[in-house]
Structure formats: C-alpha cells, structure tokens
Amino acid sequence: CVSDAVRKGFAEGFPMLADKFATVYNMFDAPSIIDKSNQPCEYVVDKCLVNIISVARHDNWQKNTDRIPLACAELRKRGVKNFHWYIAGAGPHLEQNKQLAKELGVYDMITFCGAMANPFALQSQCDISVLTSSTEAYSMSVIESRILKKPMIVMRYDGIEEAIEDGKSGLIAEQNMDSLCDKLQILIQDSVLRESMHQYLLDSPYSNEKAFSQFEDLVDIK
C-alpha cells in the first residue's frame, strides 16, 4: 500500500489478512522534477501578487476543483484580493469550473491552464500549492510541492500527516470551505509564515530513503 492509512484501511476491511499488507511509499525522481522546474514556462507570474497553484484534474467528485472558484469568491468578499490562482490540469469539469468562475465574478483571479506537459516550471514560480481533494491515497502533488520547496494547503484526508507537517511545511484545512478559506487567508497575508515554511522545506529536503527502507523490509534484503 502507498500509505499507512491505506494499509490500515485494507487491514480493517480484511482482518484475516491484516498481516499480509505492508506500506511502501511512492518514490520520486527529485532531480528530474527540479530540472523541469527550471525550464522555460509559457506563463509569467505577477510577483506583486501571492501566486497559488493547484496541479490537479478538473474532477469535482474527488479532486473538488470547483472549490477553487468558490474560495476565490469568499476571499474577495473578505477583502483578500492580492493573489492569483493557477490551475494546471484538464478533466471532465474544466468548462463547468470556468463557467462557475465567471458566474461568481472571479474569472480574473484564476488562470485555467488546462493540461500541461511540465507544470513544475509554473509551480516553481508560485508561492503556495493547494490541494482541494476529499481523499488521496498518497498525494503525488504534495510530495512534488515539497520537492520544489513550496508551502502547501491541503484539505484533511486519512494519512495526510504522513506527507505534511501542519504549521511547518504547510497548513491542513478541514473538509469545508470556511476552513479552506481561513487557511488561505492566513498564508496569503502572512509573508513571514510563508518564508518560515519555505525555510523549513529547504532545511528538510525530500528523500526516498524511507520508501527504500520500506521496500527493503518488504522483500527482506540483507
């Protein structure tokens, strides 16, 4: 299983086989991700704003990308306007989410990038990464953000603490819009907190060491 949370779920569902499940985290090619992040990008962000990115497909059932226009509308209502949000990804609800943004009057606050061969080149220019999913097994985008030293806001799901340290590498929001907007407002307005999280990520670089150890335990390498 790709996380302890998934392993525990399987063990609870199949208690007679509980000792047959093991956790091996996904492994990431960090040097390749960093190299791609330094390549030219078709988008140039406005450095006078706090730039946010979500790398996710437009799937309003699990990825909940429709929460992004809703969050922008709420933040604008709160008077928080000094940000721009990029969404890198295609999906079945892309046009629906564009229309929602127009209806809410926040289309100017969001760039719908569609599918991108290399989202890392854009992500490296942004200040914050956000994951709006209701559930994940072991989110690749969270680890990719960590590799790029970008603070994250993630909506809580089982096992999120395996990938993010709340208050240190990012913020965990509950599965409701008020909590998401509260965390967004904090991180948009608090540049000192953003910088401290960035520094924490610089001081705690991602490593596949844990995943390798799990794999070795699984196959009993001596």
Side-chain angles (χ1 to χ4, degrees):
C1 305
V2 296
S3 70
D4 285 334
V6 173
R7 177 183 56 77
K8 290 174 183 176
F10 272 103
E12 290 171 1
F14 304 93
M16 297 297 291
L17 300 173
D19 63 341
K20 301 297 183 182
F21 300 109
T23 301
V24 179
Y25 290 149
N26 290 325
M27 298 185 192
F28 293 80
D29 186 352
S32 175
I33 290 171
I34 293 170
D35 179 65
K36 289 178 180 178
S37 75
N38 292 320
Q39 293 176 10
C41 180
E42 59 191 289
Y43 298 98
V44 179
V45 306
D46 183 349
K47 292 297 185 181
C48 294
L49 300 174
V50 175
N51 293 285
I52 305 169
I53 186 168
S54 291
V55 182
R57 70 181 181 275
H58 285 268
D59 162 14
N60 296 341
W61 298 305
Q62 187 236 323
K63 299 296 185 182
N64 302 318
T65 28
D66 56 335
R67 288 173 168 173
I68 295 172
L70 293 169
C72 288
E74 173 60 24
L75 289 169
R76 175 168 274 178
K77 188 189 302 184
R78 297 183 184 189
V80 183
K81 302 176 183 179
N82 60 318
F83 69 93
H84 192 82
W85 202 320
Y86 296 85
I87 311 175
H93 296 130
L94 173 57
E95 294 305 318
Q96 180 178 320
N97 290 338
K98 285 183 178 180
Q99 184 60 35
L100 178 61
K102 291 175 182 176
E103 292 172 359
L104 293 171
V106 295
Y107 195 76
D108 61 316
M109 306 178 81
I110 306 170
T111 297
F112 293 87
C113 304
M116 297 184 70
N118 177 21
F120 306 123
L122 174 58
Q123 192 169 12
S124 66
Q125 299 183 68
C126 293
D127 304 289
I128 306 168
S129 296
V130 177
L131 183 69
T132 56
S133 298
S134 55
T135 184
E136 295 280 346
Y138 188 70
S139 175
M140 295 182 67
S141 67
V142 171
I143 303 303
E144 289 163 351
S145 184
R146 187 181 193 107
I147 289 169
L148 295 175
K149 313 296 188 292
K150 299 298 174 181
M152 281 213 75
I153 296 174
V154 180
M155 302 191 77
R156 187 182 300 280
Y157 56 84
D158 287 345
I160 181 54
E161 292 85 358
E162 296 178 61
I164 185 173
E165 301 91 342
D166 191 23
K168 294 182 178 179
S169 60
L171 298 175
I172 299 175
E174 302 306 322
Q175 284 289 335
N176 63 75
M177 289 302 302
D178 284 343
S179 180
L180 173 61
C181 292
D182 288 345
K183 302 300 184 184
L184 282 163
Q185 184 171 355
I186 289 169
L187 213 49
I188 290 169
Q189 295 182 332
D190 193 338
S191 60
V192 174
L193 180 58
R194 290 199 309 273
E195 181 54 35
S196 72
M197 289 180 173
H198 176 66
Q199 188 60 51
Y200 178 84
L201 291 165
L202 285 172
D203 295 338
S204 310
Y206 175 78
S207 168
N208 285 316
E209 183 178 348
K210 177 66 173 179
F212 277 120
S213 176
Q214 291 169 327
F215 179 74
E216 289 175 346
D217 290 342
L218 181 66
V219 298
D220 197 25
I221 294 175
K222 302 297 183 182

